[in-house]
Every structure is written in C-alpha cells, then in structure tokens.
Amino acid sequence: MKLKEKLKKLKKEIQQAFAGVEDLEELEKLRVKYLGQKGEVQEIFGQIGEVEPEMRPEIGKKTNELQEQAAKLHQKEKKRLEKKEKKQKMKKEKIDVTLPGTKPEMGYAHPLTRGMEEIKEVFLGLGFSIAEGPEIETEYYNFEALNIPENHPARDLQDTLYIDDKHLLRTHTSPVQVRTMENQRPPIRILAPGRVYRSDELDASHSPVFHQIEGLVVAEDISFSDLKGTIRSFVSEIYGEERDIRFRPSYFPFTEPSAEVDVSCIVCEGEGCSLCSRSGWLEVMGAGMVHPNVLEMSGYNPEVFSGFAFGMGWDRIAMLKYGIHDIRVLFENDRRFLHQF
Amino acid sequence: MDVPYSWLKTYIDFELEPEELAHTLTMLGLEVENIEFLGTGLKKIVTGLITEVSDHPEADNLKVCQVDLGDKTEQIVCGAPNVREGLRVPVAPAGSILPEGQEVQEVKLRGVTSRGMICSRDELGLQEERADGIMELGSGAEPGGSFIDYAGLNEYVFKIDITPNYARCLGLLGIARELQAVLEEGQVKYPEIELTAQERSSYDPLKVKIEDPELCPRYTARLLKNVEIGPSPDWMQKRLRSAGVRPINNIVDITNYVLLEYNQPLHAFDYDKISSGEIIVRRAEEREKLITLDDETRELTTDDLVIADPEGSIALAGVMGGADSEVTADTTNILLESAAFDQVSIRRTSRRLGLSSEAAYRFERGVDIEAVDEASRRASQLMQEYAGAEIHGELVDEYPLPYEQDGIDLDAGRVNQLLGLDLSESRISGILKKLDFEIEEVVSDVLKVKVPSYRNDVQQEADLVEEVARMYGYNNIPVTASPSRQQGKKTEAQKIREQVLDLMLGMGLDEIINISLMGKEIYDKLDIPADSEYRDWVQISNPLNESFSIMRTTLIPNMVQTLSDNTRHQQKELRFFERGRVFRDRGPEKRPREERRLCGGSMDYGRDLWGNDAADFYYLKGVLETLFSRLKLKTPEFKESSRPFLHPGRAADIYYKGTKIGFIGELKAELIDEFDLRERAAVFEISAEIFIEEVQPHSFEFDTLPKFPPVSRDLALVVPRELSASVILDDIDNIGGELLRQVNLFDVYTGEQIAREDKSLAFELLFQAEDRTLTDREVNEIFNKIVDYLKKEYDVEVRK
C-alpha cells in the first residue's frame, strides 16, 4: 500500500476510534496506539524516507496535519471523558445535606459581660471614658466623700460588709466618682462599671455580690436637662426608641436634686403586668445633680462646676432584658444557661 | 410606712382615687410601692342579726337560724357552737365568694334550705388559724350593713418608701402638707385642740432640767391625772390597725396615734414612779444600768442620753422607756413627755445597743422641734377625751436651744443654670411659698429663703433647687442633647482586657462569673494546708453567714466547683474561664491587695495530643501558649512543680521572662472523687496583670514574607524518658541559628522498639534564608551540627 493511502486510511481509523471511545483508560490506549512514541503516526514518519523524494514534503505535511488533528481530537475526547467521569464521580458522592454541620468551638461570653459591653459601647459613643477602682474601699471613699457622714440614716440604705474599722467592701461604684475627681480636672465624663457588695442573703432577688454601672459628668454649666438628654440616649439604645421615660424625685446623699428613672414596662408597654408590679413602669436607675458637698470635698468649686451622676444595677438590667427571674442563675455558671447567650 | 387612704383624707380634702393618689405621691418623691385594699374579697359580706335559732330536724349539731339582713330575712343553717339568738354576725349571702375562693350557694342541708353562710374569722381571711366559732360583732353592726365598713376594712393602705430626706412625711400631716403644695383644692386641716387645764397643786411637783442642751434642745412635760386605763375608742383602733399598729390601751394608743399624725414620738411615764416629779435629761454614767421596756438590762456609756429622776435613770432618751416607770393597768397619773433629741446621739445609742424603735427611727431622722408642744397638746386632748385624764397645770417647756434659721440665699440664675430652665424670680418664689418657705427679701435675683422648722432636710442652696425642680416637675424639664461630641476612650489596659476576653472566647472556652465572697470549707476540701498563703484571707468582720465570710484568694475553688456542678448536670466537654479579682490580707489596718487573675478549667477534652491521657492539661497549655502568642508576648515557660490540689506528676509553674506568673495542672485523683467529677480535669490560674504590663499594643512591625522556599528535615531522637522535651527544643533552636526558622515537635513515642527507659521524639525542622534558596549542603551542615551537639550533650540516639 502506498503511504499516501495508508495515511488516508489511518486518518479515517483514528477519527472512528476516538469517536467511539467511552472511558479514559481506553482513550489512553488509543493515544499510545496512534500518537505514542511507537505509535502509528510515528511509524508513518519513519516510512517517509522510503517514498520518492518529491512526494516527501507533501506526505510530511499531511502526516503532520494528521498528528495535529489526532492530538486535537484526543484532547477534545479527553476533556469530554474527564467531564463525564467527574460527573459520574460526583453522582456517587451525593451526601445527606441535612446531617448536622461540624461546629467550630467558640466560647460563650457570660450574659453580664455581654450586657456590659453593650452599655459601654453606648456610653463610649456619648463621649464617656471607662474608669475603675478597687473593690475594697475605705470609709472615706465609700461614704464620707459622698456626703454620707457617720451616723447618718442614709447609711441604713446600704447594709455594708466590713473588713476592719477603716476598710469595707464597696457598696456602690460611686467611690470611683470621687477617685476620678481627685485625679483629674474637668471636664470629666466617665463610666465606672464594677462589682459591689451588700450584706444580703443570697436569694431569688438578692445577692451579696452584684454589679453596678456608674456615670459621672462634671464641667462648667452642666444641667439637669443634660442629664435627661444622656439618659434618653442610653434608654433608646438599650431598651429601644419607643420606651417612655419618667423621672421622679428620690434621694441619694451624693446628688441633689436626685431622681429615680423609670422606663415604660418592656413587657406590657405601660398597661400593667406582673413584671412591673402593675405600675406600667420599671425602675432602671438612680440619677441626679452631683451634690455640692461632694464637689467641694473633691476640691472642685461648686460655684463654677456642676455635674450629674447616674447609677444602675447591671445584673437587674440583664435580668429584665433576658427575662431571668432568679439572680442566682447568673452566678451558677450552668453551661446550659451560658450556651443560651 | 403604711398610710391609710381615708385616714390621710381627714387632714386634707382631695378628689383623687387611690390609684391617682399613689401616682401623685410617687411623683412627689414619696414612692408608693404598693396599694393594699384591706377588704379584698369581702365586699359582698354583710352584717346580720340572728333573730331566731331552732334545732335542725335531722342533725343534732346543726341549727337553723333566721338572720335579719336589713331588707330581708334569710334562713341559714349553721353548725358553730356559739350561734345564738341576738348575735350580730358577718354573713356571706348566697351567690357571694369567700376570700379563699369558695362560692356560697343556696343549698339544702339534710333537707333544710340554707341561703348563705355565717362566717368565722378564718373563713373571712382575718386570721390564719381555725376559729372556734363564728365571728361575733358588736352592737354597731346594723343588719344589712357592709361588713368591711363595720370592720374598718374599706380602706386602701399605701406602702410608702420614705427616704431619709422625707422624714417629715413619717407623719400623716407631713404627707398632707406635701399634697397641699401640688393640689389645687384643699388646705391642711390641723386637728383643733382645746384643753381644759386645772391648777397644779404643790403636792404634784413637775420640774424639767436639761443638763446637756446639745443632746436635748427641747423637752416638755405635762401632768395628766386620774386617767382610766382601758381600750381606746373603736375608730382609733381601726385606724391604728390599718396603719399596721396593734392597739394596746388608750394611753399607748394615743401616743402612737399622735406619733403617726405629727411624726413626734411621745412617751407616757407613770408619774407616781418618778421621784419628786423631777425630770433630769443627762448623759448616762459610765456603766450605768437601765432595764428597758423589753425587760432587757442595758449597760450604758456616757455617750448615751437618759431621762432620769433624782434617784436614777428612768428611760433611754428617744429610744425606749424604762420598765420601772412604765404605764400599767394600775397607773392613774401620767407624765407625758414630748421632746427633741440630737439625731446623731440617738442613732449611736440605738445602733450600739442594737435597739431599734419607732421613736429612735424618727428622732435620728429629725422631728419638728417647733411642733413638740403641739403634739403634746394633741395627745393631752385625746387623753382628756378618751382616758378621762385631768390636765394639771401648764406645759413645762424647757427649750434651751430654740430653732433658728439664718435663711438660705437662692440665686435664681443658678436655679435656671442647674436645671436647664428659664424661670423668673417670682415664679421661683411662688413655688417655694407653696411649700411653706418664706421669702424674706429678693436682692437682684437672689432670694433670701427662710426654711420652715419641719424641713431639716433643707440646708443649702442645692436643696432648694431640688424643691423647685420637684414642684416644677422633673418631667417638664427639657431634654438637651448630650453636650459632648467627642468619642469616649478606653484605656490601653481596658483594650487589652477585652482582647484577652475575645481570645479566650475564640478558643472555645465559656466565660463564667462567680461570687467573690466564699466560705473556708472549700479550701479544706481542696486540701490546702493550714500554712498556705491561699489562706491569707481577707475576712469579713460582719459576715451574714459562714459561706460568705472571706474574700477569695484564688479563682480555683470556684472553677472546680463549676466543673463539679456541671458534671452533676451531665454536661460534657467542659471548657471554662473566669476573669476575676483575688484578695490578699496584708496585715491589720492595711488595705488588702487586689489582683486580677485569669483562670481556666477543662474536662473531657477530646483530643489526646500526646497519647498520654492528659488531653485537658495540654489543651489548657495550648490555650495559654496561643493566648500569649496572639498578644505578641513571648512563649511562657512551664516548669514542673507541685500544688496541694494538683496531680504530683502533672503540674507546672508558669514563668514569663523569669517571673512566676501562675500554674497549670491536673486535679489530683482524690479531688476527682471529692468533687464528683467524672473524669480527669485540668486547671490553670495566672496573673492577668502581666498582660497589662507586658503587652505592647502599638509596637508591632510586620516581617516581610519569605521569597525563597523552606527546606524541611525530620529528626527523630531516642532520649531518656526523664529528659524534658523543652530542653531539646531549646538546644535545637540555639544551635540552628538564623537559618533554622522553626522547630516543631510532632511525635512522642514510647513502647515497642524503644528501650523502657527511653522515649522517641520526632521533630520537623524548617530551614529558610531570606536572600536565597538554601542548598542541601548548607542545610545538612546545620542539621549535622545539631545532631552532633545533641549526641555529645545527652545520651541520645538518632533514629533513621
């Protein structure tokens, strides 16, 4: 047979062979057979020397074309088969997508921490800085400097745990006010979160240890209106825009005028329910204008400077927010509880 | 304080319903905590008169009664032993519901119709224990009348939380005065008092001598003779009861009644027991003894003020009367005391003796010194009227330190500045006048304000500002935008603490918060020896109970307890951390040391990295290493150590730059049983102050990424079992020099193929240069240097 015809025949054969192939293994066999080092195309190249010299270029060219076509064909079939194989493979790999996911290990922050962070952010936005102080305080910082002299009935408002004659466990975060004023010059805008202690038995609504957040602003020309503005912003952020706020006169030795701040009940919206003891209001914090005696004792002239302070029980806020009815739950650290937040 | 609605109404007219009144009082600063209706569930109960009683035809123990209910007579079957004709009784008619929820219906009792129920006290909820029979009413109970009206139960009682600055409102007249200031209608109606006094004979001496006017600025005494001790009138008893005061007899009841009207404690002495009718107000002598009304013998000091006669003390001034001069059923003549005492002195005495009384409570908050005589007159009048008392002579009134008031300057501009208002001087004057303040003069917007004697809470300008705000209405004061537009700042320490929190949470530990007060018991349970510094507790000098008697010196006990509690609740894979302060005693009178600590605990951790059943230990160690690394701190060192509560072979102290900062370890086997832990558990505790001191928040600079590939070599060594892995790691690191980028220990093996006293350690060493691709030769050179060194230093063998 003439090489030319052989070439023709081979071309046809290759086309047919590649068209019929159905898996990659077979395709590889065909590649070796036709396109391999010792394949049939190579064989033709080897035989080119045997034809007449004038025919060689043409046959050479045609053989090259065949090789290229075959290679292309092979590539094409390979891609097709690979695709097909992948499809089949994926078909076998079907999973039950409703099986549970793999859970990354992430810890849960205690709800008191979570609530605190939220409140801190609100006040940072209002220009407050965070201040801290010791939990074991002196009589002076906890009482005297806050206008609560010894033998004043106001001391009855707080049952105090004592260490010795001079030292006690702070009953409120208010000493931080005094410590800040002693160390800083106005304007002052601080938020003092912290742990406080009272001589209370542990029961559903009391704990000897709980947490407070205290705020203090002192500058020239601070007014009760400013206090109301700050509290309005805070209440909107934490309890929602739609809450009503009510201020009513109250008593704290270190503020004058003093106020108790109520927000409309988060459950009944003011209608009256068991959470708010049917009053429609929830007491959320105490506040007032800093008492001039307190300013004076910290070395500020009350004729020049004025300020406001506010304080709230943060455990109570968390309890209200999450509907917790027993404060002890907060300190039991039951994982089933912690994992809800 | 319990304030009955209708009693209050006798002092001022108002149209407010109870709910509205509660709101008004609350907005005045007199917080009404709740309103109780005394006749709850009894509105349908009527009073009836039993007109006829006959035997029940079918039952020996039942009677058939005809009961007159005013507009009708009902037949009611009753089994009470005291049922009889002519008796006035409370009746629950058919169709009514008793307080306990029982519905009364028309029934046939053994064939006889009964249309209602004659009630006993317990059935009406008026007493807890079962009554012997039906309740018997007095002659005032008209047939068909309302039972709650008859019994004084048609009354709303307000529980008011009276803050110390509202002491004046510990009397109903004080509350009425507050209402007068805000209500359009109504003036306070003070009781009208008329006394008929007769001459006091010289046989009835009455003298008052105040030795210490500072402690007793005013003392009045009055002689009332021939009193008849007996019950007080019905209306007075009802009012007292509704205010929560138990009626005793007319004299005691009258003093209590006036106390509740005027906020002025009174004391009635048996005049005949006072030697020569002479009252001496003096300090007690050191160790002087007095038997008080509660029959306790009190030992006094010179700080205490007593009421005495020439023979000795007869009362603890302002706190409690003496047993010897007490009014008894045999008393005929009375010396009535009405006085003012120093607030602080009363409080000291009452506190020191642990003796609280209604009188002391009021005196330590301050009474109206100018009204001392008025209260005495009021009580005398009532005693005259309801105890047959004869008033002998004028009031003896010693008043050495009369009430004086300099007046307070109130700058209208200051008021407006502090409140954010714009009130005129005349508006401010008007507000204050409504509260009985007098404006003496106004000089260029400064008001000279005279304070009424009952307002001892008003001492300076700020107090007047509060009064203006209160009357203007806190809720009418405008709201201004917060004046600062500047973002607040956290300190570096606060930021670092938050970072620690985030990292711990991110590593999968749950945050716990424990009470920092605790009991000593758990320290024993943890086997902490007597001389341990863990026992340098800060002790509470007045603990409520043993379980909250000390401040914690370590976070570990709470952590172990938390692991234990959660195990009890079948919780698995526990990983906790706590950030908290610990407290250490530093000797008497010194402020205890407070230190922030970070504590961790783990149980049931799933991955036993080194196959030595110490998963929790290495998990927590890894947490610490990661924490330090993420805070860009050096890796802490772990050195074998021991703690009383830790496993002796699985505990280490933690060092940072050579300083011990804490420890880590597995709980010892005994504790696993002691605390009912199911499994091994590990804990750590480190000082959290180290983070604040060491973390450099702004000093970080990034390393350029390597451009040339690393070359990796594994090194497996057989070393003596006792040799710490860290020793080898450190040496490899040192010898490796700059080109050795990283050494990872990835396998520890003991067992077959290795001698018993040995272990195999496998390391991966990564070599890399910044400026070129390292050649095999270069790497081999360093690698061999390392191997040679280790062979020389230790008894190691390189596994191929």
Side-chain angles (χ1 to χ4, degrees):
Chain A
M1 205 190 326
K2 276 182 150 175
L3 201 54
K4 205 173 168 185
E5 271 153 39
K6 217 174 172 184
L7 202 57
K8 226 179 201 174
K9 199 179 150 215
L10 184 59
K11 189 175 173 184
K12 212 172 185 181
E13 190 184 324
I14 287 176
Q15 273 168 354
Q16 279 169 356
F18 279 134
V21 75
E22 273 315 313
D23 66 60
L24 281 166
E25 215 173 301
E26 202 184 325
L27 180 72
E28 179 61 13
K29 270 184 200 155
L30 292 175
R31 187 192 66 79
V32 173
K33 181 175 178 207
Y34 299 115
L35 291 165
Q37 296 284 320
K38 291 172 185 164
E40 291 183 21
V41 176
Q42 280 304 319
E43 201 179 307
I44 290 178
F45 277 123
Q47 290 168 4
I48 287 179
E50 293 165 21
V51 297
E52 305 88 85
E54 66 275 18
M55 292 287 283
R56 280 181 203 166
E58 194 203 332
I59 292 197
K61 194 180 156 212
K62 285 212 163 138
T63 312
N64 268 328
E65 274 169 16
L66 176 62
Q67 191 180 24
E68 258 168 53
Q69 278 169 1
K72 252 187 206 162
L73 203 54
H74 169 255
Q75 276 306 317
K76 188 182 144 208
E77 291 305 315
K78 193 177 172 203
K79 265 191 192 151
R80 178 179 68 84
L81 289 176
E82 271 173 358
K83 217 170 168 185
K84 186 176 155 202
E85 193 161 276
K86 274 187 188 131
K87 256 191 191 152
Q88 278 169 345
K89 186 170 173 243
M90 287 194 289
K91 214 172 192 176
K92 281 189 225 144
E93 287 171 349
K94 182 180 183 312
I95 58 164
D96 178 356
V97 295
T98 65
L99 289 176
T102 313
K103 309 263 185 311
E105 285 172 9
M106 283 209 31
Y108 289 79
H110 193 282
L112 287 178
T113 300
R114 186 175 279 280
M116 185 56 228
E117 295 301 316
E118 218 176 299
I119 293 170
K120 268 195 216 166
E121 289 308 317
V122 171
F123 281 102
L124 284 166
L126 293 173
F128 285 72
S129 295
I130 314 296
E132 287 152 311
E135 290 174 17
I136 297 180
E137 268 296 359
T138 59
E139 283 257 329
Y140 177 78
Y141 285 109
N142 198 72
F143 291 128
E144 276 144 57
L146 289 163
N147 199 30
I148 315 173
E150 205 190 338
N151 292 308
H152 191 281
R155 290 216 179 177
D156 290 352
L157 299 175
Q158 306 173 348
D159 291 321
T160 311
L161 291 168
Y162 283 91
I163 306 296
D164 55 37
D165 290 344
K166 270 214 305 254
H167 299 98
L168 48 82
L169 299 181
R170 66 175 177 191
T171 55
H172 43 198
T173 40
S174 311
V176 182
Q177 286 187 20
V178 182
R179 287 178 178 277
T180 306
M181 283 195 279
E182 280 181 355
N183 292 321
Q184 244 176 280
R185 295 311 302 166
I188 286 176
R189 291 174 84 79
I190 54 149
L191 189 75
R195 188 169 266 222
V196 301
Y197 300 80
R198 299 273 170 92
S199 182
D200 275 329
E201 294 282 2
L202 186 63
D203 62 29
S205 47
H206 300 89
S207 164
V209 173
F210 57 101
H211 300 83
Q212 274 191 346
I213 299 169
E214 182 102 2
L216 173 73
V217 171
V218 181
E220 286 176 41
D221 279 343
I222 295 289
S223 73
F224 197 91
S225 303
D226 301 330
L227 165 66
K228 288 184 72 175
T230 298
I231 289 179
R232 169 84 261 179
S233 310
F234 166 74
V235 169
S236 302
E237 291 280 349
I238 296 294
Y239 296 94
E241 291 276 352
E242 67 284 5
R243 293 269 84 77
D244 280 336
I245 305 182
R246 166 175 103 165
F247 288 75
R248 59 188 160 80
S250 188
Y251 173 73
F252 305 104
F254 36 94
T255 51
E256 187 82 23
S258 301
E260 204 67 74
V261 183
D262 300 337
V263 300
S264 52
C265 181
I266 52 175
V267 169
C268 65
E269 305 275 338
E271 293 295 309
C273 66
S274 63
L275 181 66
C276 58
S277 317
R278 257 152 281 284
S279 70
W281 296 96
L282 295 172
E283 194 175 302
V284 293
M285 68 170 98
M289 300 301 291
V290 181
H291 198 289
N293 292 359
V294 174
L295 291 171
E296 216 158 327
M297 263 186 284
S298 302
Y300 290 16
N301 182 355
E303 303 281 322
V304 179
F305 297 108
S306 56
F308 63 77
F310 55 87
M312 59 196 126
W314 134 42
D315 315 63
R316 215 182 95 78
I317 293 177
M319 288 169 73
L320 281 179
K321 226 175 139 74
Y322 303 122
I324 299 167
H325 299 299
D326 188 332
I327 193 170
R328 287 172 291 198
V329 175
L330 291 173
F331 303 112
E332 278 165 5
N333 299 307
D334 189 317
R335 204 174 66 146
R336 294 167 298 177
F337 169 76
L338 297 173
H339 280 204
Q340 289 179 37
F341 294 92
Chain B
M1 183 165 141
D2 291 358
V3 176
Y5 176 81
S6 60
W7 188 1
L8 177 63
K9 221 173 166 173
T10 63
Y11 302 111
I12 184 163
D13 288 328
F14 51 78
E15 300 293 320
L16 305 172
E17 291 297 310
E19 291 284 342
E20 295 167 320
L21 179 65
H23 176 75
T24 305
L25 290 171
T26 297
M27 297 315 285
L28 272 165
L30 292 162
E31 187 185 354
V32 177
E33 291 178 326
N34 68 54
I35 308 173
E36 188 192 354
F37 180 65
L38 297 181
T40 300
L42 300 175
K43 278 197 172 156
K44 285 201 169 164
I45 309 296
V46 294
T47 52
L49 173 66
I50 302 177
T51 50
E52 199 188 312
V53 177
S54 53
D55 290 340
H56 189 291
E58 300 291 332
D60 289 347
N61 54 352
L62 294 179
K63 303 277 184 210
V64 180
C65 311
Q66 301 304 319
V67 185
D68 177 1
L69 297 177
D71 53 352
K72 58 189 167 198
T73 297
E74 296 282 24
Q75 174 172 292
I76 297 173
V77 176
C78 175
N82 59 336
V83 65
R84 59 187 187 274
E85 277 176 23
L87 199 61
R88 288 166 196 269
V89 289
V91 176
S96 61
I97 295 168
L98 293 175
E100 299 283 301
Q102 185 196 341
E103 203 180 334
V104 179
Q105 286 166 329
E106 178 180 330
V107 287
K108 278 205 168 151
L109 287 168
R110 303 247 182 136
V112 177
T113 300
S114 180
R115 292 179 43 81
M117 184 172 150
I118 303 175
C119 303
S120 63
R121 294 187 68 91
D122 59 305
E123 283 161 344
L124 295 174
L126 301 176
Q127 71 180 40
E128 287 285 322
E129 68 275 20
R130 213 177 140 72
D132 294 335
I134 50 177
M135 186 175 178
E136 301 189 11
L137 306 181
S139 56
E142 289 299 322
S146 150
F147 171 72
I148 57 173
D149 281 343
Y150 165 80
L153 299 174
N154 192 5
E155 179 71 282
Y156 292 87
V157 178
F158 296 75
K159 300 251 181 240
I160 303 186
D161 177 19
I162 307 251
T163 54
N165 60 331
Y166 280 76
R168 60 187 183 282
C169 293
L170 291 166
L172 295 171
L173 281 166
I175 296 175
R177 271 193 300 242
E178 291 293 316
L179 286 172
Q180 175 182 262
V182 291
L183 297 180
E184 294 298 321
E185 74 267 46
Q187 286 285 311
V188 177
K189 293 182 279 184
Y190 292 93
E192 281 170 27
I193 305 169
E194 267 181 54
L195 298 181
T196 354
Q198 46 188 283
E199 196 83 353
R200 179 160 49 83
S201 114
S202 55
Y203 297 111
D204 297 326
L206 184 61
K207 255 169 68 183
V208 172
K209 190 170 134 204
I210 300 175
E211 286 189 0
D212 198 327
E214 291 290 333
L215 297 190
C216 175
R218 189 176 192 183
Y219 193 99
T220 72
R222 190 191 299 275
L223 175 61
L224 299 126
K225 295 193 69 174
N226 299 321
V227 297
E228 290 154 34
I229 308 286
S232 57
D234 206 35
W235 60 265
M236 185 180 284
Q237 292 195 26
K238 280 179 196 161
R239 284 185 180 170
L240 288 174
R241 264 200 212 96
S242 63
V245 177
R246 191 165 54 94
I248 311 252
N249 61 43
N250 47 6
I251 299 300
V252 175
D253 291 357
I254 288 167
T255 56
N256 282 335
Y257 191 82
V258 176
L259 170 90
L260 292 174
E261 276 188 317
Y262 284 84
N263 183 33
Q264 172 64 50
L266 301 170
H267 187 67
F269 292 98
D270 186 329
Y271 172 74
D272 298 313
K273 301 203 177 125
I274 298 172
S275 168
S276 59
E278 186 176 351
I279 293 286
I280 304 161
V281 187
R282 61 165 170 83
R283 282 171 184 271
E285 282 155 28
E286 197 60 38
R287 319 199 70 158
E288 185 172 350
K289 289 200 172 60
L290 171 68
I291 301 170
T292 42
L293 277 177
D294 52 7
D295 286 326
E296 294 281 326
T297 303
R298 310 284 177 173
E299 192 177 291
L300 310 177
T301 76
T302 54
D303 282 341
D304 302 319
L305 191 70
V306 294
I307 310 301
D309 66 10
E311 285 171 17
S313 52
I314 54 171
L316 199 49
V319 180
M320 195 175 266
D324 292 344
S325 57
E326 186 183 0
V327 170
T328 65
D330 302 328
T331 300
T332 50
N333 301 319
I334 279 172
L335 186 155
L336 180 68
E337 166 200 287
S338 179
F341 300 107
D342 175 64
Q343 295 170 229
V344 170
S345 151
I346 296 294
R347 183 170 166 90
R348 278 210 189 115
T349 297
S350 144
R351 289 243 128 182
R352 189 176 54 75
L353 297 173
L355 186 55
S356 52
S357 65
E358 287 292 323
Y361 187 81
R362 286 170 164 82
F363 279 126
E364 66 182 52
R365 280 159 177 74
V367 298
D368 181 3
I369 195 167
E370 287 282 276
V372 162
D373 53 338
E374 180 78 359
S376 172
R377 282 163 53 78
R378 171 65 167 159
S380 302
Q381 176 207 29
L382 292 171
M383 287 184 189
Q384 193 175 263
E385 209 173 326
Y386 298 106
E390 297 161 10
I391 297 170
H392 284 241
E394 291 301 309
L395 182 72
V396 177
D397 186 356
E398 279 297 306
Y399 196 1
L401 291 179
Y403 175 72
E404 259 179 61
Q405 235 286 324
D406 288 342
I408 298 171
D409 286 343
L410 179 66
D411 182 339
R414 185 82 182 136
V415 172
N416 288 324
Q417 186 262 306
L418 279 172
L419 299 180
L421 292 175
D422 189 18
L423 302 178
S424 67
E425 153 275 304
S426 63
R427 177 85 192 271
I428 295 173
S429 296
I431 285 174
L432 291 174
K433 280 183 196 153
K434 282 206 110 179
L435 286 163
D436 285 355
F437 290 92
E438 279 174 48
I439 312 300
E440 286 187 319
E441 55 176 3
V442 183
V443 182
S444 61
D445 270 4
V446 177
L447 291 70
K448 186 126 190 127
V449 182
K450 208 162 168 247
V451 180
S453 59
Y454 63 84
R455 291 302 303 266
N456 65 356
D457 60 306
V458 176
Q459 285 166 356
Q460 51 183 282
E461 192 179 54
D463 302 321
L464 290 172
V465 172
E466 175 169 83
E467 293 304 294
V468 174
R470 195 163 70 98
M471 289 298 132
Y472 184 80
Y474 281 11
N475 296 304
N476 298 324
I477 294 176
V479 177
T480 50
S482 183
S484 172
R485 288 272 139 255
Q486 193 194 343
Q487 173 75 21
K489 286 190 198 87
K490 291 177 198 167
T491 62
E492 291 308 330
Q494 286 154 3
K495 288 185 203 159
I496 293 166
R497 262 180 238 131
E498 278 177 23
Q499 219 185 330
V500 171
L501 170 71
D502 290 343
L503 287 167
M504 294 303 282
L505 292 171
M507 287 187 280
L509 295 94
D510 297 328
E511 187 192 20
I512 61 172
I513 292 183
N514 280 291
I515 290 178
S516 35
L517 288 167
M518 54 197 316
K520 296 174 179 174
E521 203 190 340
I522 195 166
Y523 286 74
D524 298 335
K525 231 174 140 186
L526 286 168
D527 277 346
I528 292 171
D531 57 352
S532 163
E533 58 171 13
Y534 285 122
R535 291 185 187 256
D536 292 342
W537 295 308
V538 174
Q539 310 232 18
I540 306 301
S541 68
N542 58 335
L544 264 181
N545 57 47
E546 181 50 36
S547 51
F548 296 124
S549 60
I550 55 157
M551 306 286 291
R552 57 183 177 180
T553 53
T554 159
L555 306 181
I556 294 293
N558 288 134
M559 178 58 73
V560 176
Q561 192 61 52
T562 302
L563 291 172
S564 167
D565 292 345
N566 278 283
T567 305
R568 196 153 25 86
H569 296 132
Q570 275 89 45
Q571 298 297 295
K572 291 190 178 106
E573 291 180 51
L574 303 173
R575 293 186 291 277
F576 294 123
F577 72 100
E578 179 168 17
R579 305 171 300 156
R581 297 190 202 195
V582 299
F583 304 83
R584 279 282 161 83
D585 189 34
R586 290 200 297 187
E589 299 299 304
K590 289 206 181 112
R591 180 213 287 282
R593 199 162 86 92
E594 293 182 28
E595 189 195 336
R596 289 172 197 268
R597 294 262 174 95
L598 175 68
C599 175
S602 171
M603 202 174 114
D604 280 343
Y605 188 70
R607 202 170 136 230
D608 185 15
L609 183 63
W610 302 114
N612 51 3
D613 199 11
D616 296 299
F617 179 97
Y618 289 106
Y619 168 68
L620 289 182
K621 186 178 180 214
V623 163
L624 284 171
E625 286 166 339
T626 308
L627 179 66
F628 276 69
S629 139
R630 293 299 293 263
L631 292 168
K632 312 225 178 310
L633 297 173
K634 288 187 165 31
T635 311
E637 286 176 85
F638 294 81
K639 295 184 187 167
E640 268 180 30
S641 73
S642 66
R643 299 264 152 172
F645 43 87
L646 295 183
H647 188 303
R650 298 179 164 204
D653 279 338
I654 306 171
Y655 288 79
Y656 187 77
K657 289 187 181 168
T659 308
K660 198 200 286 184
I661 57 162
F663 63 88
I664 181 170
E666 196 172 289
L667 293 178
K668 64 180 179 184
E670 298 94 306
L671 293 184
I672 292 176
D673 293 341
E674 183 72 45
F675 283 89
D676 294 325
L677 300 171
R678 205 177 38 247
E679 299 274 351
R680 296 170 184 276
V683 292
F684 74 78
E685 183 179 45
I686 59 168
S687 163
E689 311 287 354
I690 191 82
F691 302 124
I692 312 300
E693 288 158 17
E694 295 289 336
V695 173
Q696 306 285 322
H698 301 300
S699 69
F700 170 69
E701 208 177 299
F702 123 105
D703 284 340
T704 326
L705 298 179
K707 290 197 189 77
F708 301 92
V711 180
S712 159
R713 288 276 192 284
D714 285 356
L715 171 64
L717 297 172
V718 177
V719 305
R721 242 186 224 204
E722 293 312 308
L723 193 62
S724 295
S726 68
V727 173
I728 308 261
L729 272 167
D730 287 350
D731 284 343
I732 295 176
D733 209 31
N734 284 335
I735 309 295
E738 279 217 339
L739 296 178
L740 177 63
R741 269 288 160 101
Q742 231 180 0
V743 195
N744 302 319
L745 174 63
F746 67 87
D747 188 43
V748 179
Y749 177 78
T750 53
E752 281 176 55
Q753 301 154 20
I754 304 270
R756 242 174 182 239
E757 61 283 1
D758 288 341
K759 63 182 171 191
S760 157
L761 301 175
F763 303 91
E764 182 197 33
L765 283 62
L766 283 175
F767 298 90
Q768 196 169 30
E770 279 178 24
D771 53 352
R772 62 188 190 281
T773 303
L774 290 173
T775 61
D776 272 356
R777 233 193 62 203
E778 275 178 295
V779 172
N780 289 344
E781 200 174 297
I782 309 170
F783 187 82
N784 291 336
K785 209 166 118 196
I786 293 170
V787 171
D788 291 347
Y789 178 84
L790 293 175
K791 275 186 176 163
K792 194 180 79 196
E793 267 323 279
Y794 314 101
D795 182 16
V796 307
E797 183 191 319
V798 178
R799 290 177 83 201
K800 292 285 155 44

